Amino acid sequence: LAKTTQPISMDSYEGQEVNITCSHNNIATNDYITWYQQFPSQGPRFIIQGYKTKVTNEVASLFIPADRKSSTLSLPRVSLSDTAVYYCLVRNTNAGKSTFGDGTTLTVKP
Amino acid sequence: GAGVSQSPSNKVTEKGKDVELRCDPISGHTALYWYRQSLGQGLEFLIYFQGNSAPDKSGLPSDRFSAERTGGSVSTLTIQRTQQEDSAVYLCASSTSGGAWYETQYFGPGTRLLVL
């Protein structure tokens, strides 16, 4: 399984763009990358996912370089309600196994 | 429609007792996952079901842990002879088929287990 590494914590201010990078150096060909958000006492919630290059949806963008050894979640113009733990997940589509990182605690300040 | 549900939401048990945790996936989802999250920690993958079968059980932390899924729907995670280190939040997730790269895992609220 690909091991993932994320920063333990990040601070930001309302209105700023936040970029959280996840390292997955031994990612395999069949692995794809998903990011989840988790609030206290809740299960993780899907944010965005991709295999390579750039993916954008209504809440975030995901940048994956050509070597796929890392991925960066970009949250535009964060608000206080974006304070949460963000997890990078590498998943092998053939096996169903999922390796979550330890998560990045994002704190958005007024 | 209803999301993933788990029961009980909280469970307090004594060391050495057996516990059963239940997961009801989203209707029609054939893939089901169990994770464990210890206090302040990330998610630890336990087991994955494709239909009623579990292709890989290597994530289960010990032989005290077992899981089954019947009828391609409800799953039960059983912990025998619980230990204090089993205390954690046990999360269940489901996805449509488990084999497509674009699938999203939908998580339940978790069962908070405390072993005294």
Side-chain angles (χ1 to χ4, degrees):
Chain A
L1 296 179
K3 176 178 169 53
T4 60
T5 304
Q6 303 174 233
I8 294 175
S9 64
M10 294 182 69
D11 289 344
S12 183
Y13 291 92
E14 282 190 293
Q16 290 188 331
E17 178 184 80
V18 171
N19 296 308
I20 306 174
T21 297
C22 178
S23 297
H24 26 80
N25 290 321
N26 58 338
I27 191 169
T29 302
N30 291 333
D31 290 341
Y32 66 94
I33 300 143
T34 311
W35 283 81
Y36 286 83
Q37 176 192 56
Q38 186 178 30
F39 296 111
S41 301
Q42 295 185 23
R45 185 178 71 171
F46 171 85
I47 302 174
I48 196 168
Q49 67 183 5
Y51 184 81
K52 60 181 178 180
T53 64
K54 178 183 176 182
V55 180
T56 298
N57 63 20
E58 63 275 10
V59 298
S61 294
L62 178 61
F63 300 91
I64 305 170
D67 66 6
R68 305 202 324 122
K69 293 185 177 183
S70 66
S71 58
T72 298
L73 172 72
S74 180
L75 304 172
R77 300 178 299 282
V78 294
S79 63
L80 296 177
S81 61
D82 292 320
T83 293
V85 180
Y86 291 82
Y87 290 98
C88 159
L89 167 65
V90 174
R91 184 177 167 223
N92 185 305
T93 59
N94 294 330
K97 283 185 177 181
S98 302
T99 305
F100 277 85
D102 290 335
T104 298
T105 300
L106 172 65
T107 302
V108 180
K109 303 175 182 178
Chain B
V4 178
S5 61
Q6 294 185 245
S7 61
S9 54
N10 292 280
K11 176 71 175 179
V12 180
T13 190
E14 295 179 347
K15 177 181 174 181
K17 296 287 182 67
D18 297 351
V19 296
E20 282 191 355
L21 312 180
R22 176 188 169 105
C23 172
D24 279 276
I26 293 173
S27 178
H29 281 192
T30 60
L32 186 147
Y33 313 80
W34 282 100
Y35 296 88
R36 179 170 70 173
Q37 187 170 35
S38 300
L39 185 63
Q41 302 296 312
L43 286 84
E44 175 188 4
F45 173 82
L46 298 179
I47 192 169
Y48 155 71
F49 284 92
Q50 180 62 267
N52 290 335
S53 64
D56 191 328
K57 301 180 181 180
S58 62
L60 294 175
S62 76
D63 58 7
R64 297 186 294 103
F65 287 72
S66 63
E68 65 175 13
R69 189 179 185 196
T70 56
S73 181
V74 172
S75 176
T76 302
L77 178 69
T78 302
I79 309 173
Q80 295 178 311
R81 305 180 302 282
T82 53
Q83 304 294 314
Q84 290 180 333
E85 61 263 29
D86 298 334
S87 296
V89 176
Y90 289 82
L91 289 158
C92 174
S94 70
S95 66
T96 51
S97 71
W101 69 268
Y102 51 82
E103 285 187 28
T104 297
Q105 293 183 39
Y106 295 88
F107 282 81
T111 292
R112 287 152 189 78
L113 175 66
L114 177 61
V115 181
L116 300 176

